[in-house]
Amino acid sequence: MSSAELKQRLLQVIGSIPKGRVSTYGDIARMAGAPNHARFVGTLLKNLPTGSKIPWQRVINSKGEIAFPAGSDNWIRQQQRLLAEGVVLTGGKVSLRQYRWQP
DNA sequence: CAAATGACGTAGC
DNA sequence: TGCTACGCCATTT
């Protein structure tokens, strides 16, 4: 499979995360049938066009943390978008027990 | 073409 | 519980 195809599959998976739920880089890669590509999910989101419909805020790391440096503008932006849809961060982290999405 | 990079994950201590 | 080391691999330098 080419990386362009994988890219589309990853975006499809991310786009299917329900509002108010989250998923991790690793889970997304696995769901797209490409384990070992967690990092690619990140490099992919980084290059998203401004105003994309992709719910990038629902993607966090395996520890339940927002991947950006805590307190950075991006971190705050993501936290706001999560709060706006009902995902609460306690102690700077999302409770994967509660919000992690698995089909 | 070699080396560095990165919105990651996991094992080991 | 926290930190360090690796493994990983598309992209970028």
Side-chain angles (χ1 to χ4, degrees):
Chain A
M1 119 186 346
S2 70
S3 66
E5 293 176 296
L6 177 57
K7 173 178 175 180
Q8 289 312 312
R9 304 183 57 172
L10 289 170
L11 290 177
Q12 182 177 12
V13 172
I14 296 172
S16 65
I17 302 173
K19 184 175 76 169
R21 305 297 299 284
V22 300
S23 188
T24 71
Y25 296 89
D27 284 349
I28 290 167
R30 281 189 290 269
M31 288 187 267
N36 304 15
H37 285 238
R39 299 192 85 117
F40 187 50
V41 176
T43 55
L44 175 56
L45 291 183
K46 182 165 59 176
N47 302 322
L48 279 181
T50 315
S52 170
K53 301 273 187 208
I54 300 299
W56 54 268
Q57 72 274 23
R58 298 179 192 152
V59 185
I60 60 183
N61 67 25
S62 68
K63 296 179 293 194
E65 305 167 327
I66 287 176
F68 295 114
S72 64
D73 286 354
N74 283 314
W75 189 96
I76 293 173
R77 195 161 17 316
Q78 183 167 6
Q79 189 209 41
Q80 281 305 309
R81 295 182 65 137
L82 284 174
L83 288 173
E85 50 183 65
V87 177
V88 179
L89 282 80
T90 46
K93 308 194 321 183
V94 170
S95 168
L96 292 176
R97 271 325 255 278
Q98 291 186 247
Y99 300 105
R100 187 182 218 166
W101 173 68
Q102 343 230 47

